[in-house]
Amino acid sequence: MAKYVAILDLGTNTFHLLVVRELPDLGFEVVERLQAAVKLGEGGMMNNLITEGGIKRGLQTIEKVKRVLNRYPGAAFIAIGTSMLREATNSDSFIARAEEVLDAEIRVISGDKEAEYIAHGVRQAVAFEKKPALIMDIGGGSVEFIIANDTDIFWKRSYETGAARLKEKFSLKAPVSKQQVELICKFLDDELGELFEKTKEYNIDTLAGAAGSFETLAQVDRIRYGLVDIPVTHAIDMEHFQAIYNKILSSTHKEIIEIPGMVAFRADMISAALITTDYVVRKAGIKTMIFSDYSMKEGVLYVELHKRLHH
């Protein structure tokens, strides 16, 4: 009898469900994925409230998740809540309603724990070396930064500077003006000071970008430059990154959606995500950028499979 594991990531912008079949030696085969733009934080980020619309979209997606889970009776199921469910003052009532539908517990984790899971996930996709690299995962509510090598995590931190949060805070409109970019960078200057002390300390020049916005960036890069699609990872040329960044920031919303490789529901957040990425690249002196298709949910899966192996 095949054993299944299902991981649900309840993010601020997107809910992701990953269902895998266990294989020997910590291996797995993906049998199903569900990704939905829930925009749980939309309209409520600045006062830490999930709006009625966010609750409605969230619960509709939870119903879909339940229908998928029903196809895998007996699957081990882990549901993880992140930034918006950590911060929102009314998250308890949303969680209670979602748990009722799922008939399972939702674990809301700290930003630190989230960063740790992300590191475990990314290391399954990207071949790290002994020299530490910077891992970055841009969510809707928070951004996680981790400094790690192939065996160790040296430093990790979660900042409440996610793409949806920046978009709402600075009323970002496409195309993005130079003034808006400057305002965001000034805000990031105030927020991310410790990050750059650490990138200097560990002599960082490689950035591994996890899932989300980086996935879109990698897709646009592959199509724009006719590159080979390699499973779970993709090296992004720094000049390509700069060209895509300039193209997206100078485009209208309609033009962004029409860029080949752009995921429509990410078009709203992509400018904020790219401004943050460009800022980090410049401030940390990044020379190499790699995309990892694996992120938090694969990290949760990795930890879970390890646990099961040792029980």
Side-chain angles (χ1 to χ4, degrees):
M1 176 73 179
K3 282 187 186 165
Y4 295 98
V5 182
I7 312 285
L8 176 62
D9 168 5
L10 296 99
T12 299
N13 200 35
T14 318
F15 285 6
H16 297 269
L17 177 69
L18 174 70
V19 185
V20 305
R21 181 189 286 114
E22 282 189 63
L23 299 174
D25 303 323
L26 298 176
F28 63 88
E29 177 194 1
V30 176
V31 291
E32 194 133 10
R33 283 181 192 277
L34 174 72
Q35 180 170 284
V38 172
K39 298 189 176 170
L40 202 59
E42 190 170 74
M45 301 289 286
M46 290 305 101
N47 44 12
N48 288 333
L49 265 184
I50 306 171
T51 62
E52 278 306 310
I55 289 169
K56 192 177 162 195
R57 289 188 297 274
L59 292 173
Q60 281 170 345
T61 301
I62 292 292
E63 299 271 4
K64 283 184 197 162
V65 166
K66 183 61 178 166
R67 288 198 288 275
V68 174
L69 293 175
N70 287 342
R71 298 203 281 273
Y72 303 95
F77 176 58
I78 300 159
I80 303 277
T82 59
S83 178
M84 198 62 196
L85 295 183
R86 279 196 290 272
E87 302 297 324
T89 51
N90 61 339
S91 64
D92 285 358
S93 65
F94 171 79
I95 289 167
R97 289 167 73 181
E99 285 179 337
E100 206 175 312
V101 175
L102 292 168
D103 192 22
E105 182 199 356
I106 293 169
R107 263 178 22 219
V108 178
I109 59 170
S110 68
D112 235 33
K113 192 72 190 163
E114 186 177 351
E116 192 182 308
Y117 280 136
I118 289 162
H120 284 309
V122 171
R123 282 200 297 220
Q124 305 315 302
V126 177
F128 276 62
E129 294 169 5
K130 276 280 166 268
K131 186 180 187 312
L134 177 66
I135 298 170
M136 178 179 181
D137 188 325
I138 305 172
S142 61
V143 182
E144 281 65 47
F145 290 101
I146 307 101
I147 292 177
N149 67 2
D150 56 349
T151 53
D152 294 296
I153 295 172
F154 301 104
W155 175 83
K156 59 187 188 297
R157 191 159 163 201
S158 176
Y159 292 91
E160 295 299 311
T161 57
R165 218 175 272 278
L166 292 184
K167 181 178 181 283
E168 204 159 300
K169 185 177 177 66
F170 294 96
S171 309
L172 268 192
K173 302 273 187 293
V176 180
S177 72
K178 218 173 145 189
Q179 286 80 355
Q180 282 186 308
V181 175
E182 281 166 11
L183 282 173
I184 290 174
C185 290
K186 198 172 174 322
F187 171 71
L188 294 175
D189 276 339
D190 295 338
E191 295 290 317
L192 305 182
E194 189 194 356
L195 167 67
F196 300 111
E197 287 168 22
K198 294 294 175 186
T199 56
K200 210 168 167 180
E201 184 185 329
Y202 289 97
N203 192 20
I204 298 295
D205 59 13
T206 298
L207 174 69
S213 309
F214 285 102
E215 181 183 10
T216 304
L217 177 61
Q219 269 169 246
V220 171
D221 185 43
R222 282 188 202 112
I223 294 169
R224 188 181 173 110
Y225 296 100
L227 302 168
V228 178
D229 190 352
I230 301 166
V232 308
T233 187
H234 172 80
I236 298 168
D237 181 281
M238 298 309 287
E239 283 182 15
H240 291 187
F241 167 71
Q242 216 49 59
I244 294 166
Y245 169 84
N246 292 336
K247 167 81 179 149
I248 287 173
L249 259 68
S250 61
S251 297
T252 63
H253 189 261
K254 186 175 179 295
E255 287 165 345
I256 292 171
I257 288 176
E258 286 166 359
I259 293 172
M262 180 60 56
V263 182
F265 79 80
R266 291 218 188 274
D268 269 1
M269 306 291 160
I270 195 75
S271 297
L274 288 180
I275 291 166
T276 304
T277 306
D278 179 64
Y279 172 84
V280 169
V281 162
R282 284 185 292 105
K283 290 278 285 194
I286 297 296
K287 307 273 188 292
T288 308
M289 193 188 293
I290 306 160
F291 156 66
S292 163
D293 192 25
Y294 289 2
S295 185
M296 188 186 79
K297 52 193 183 307
E298 287 80 9
V300 174
L301 177 64
Y302 171 82
V303 171
E304 180 62 18
L305 293 177
H306 257 273
K307 247 193 253 165
R308 293 154 76 86
L309 189 70
H310 296 120
H311 272 199

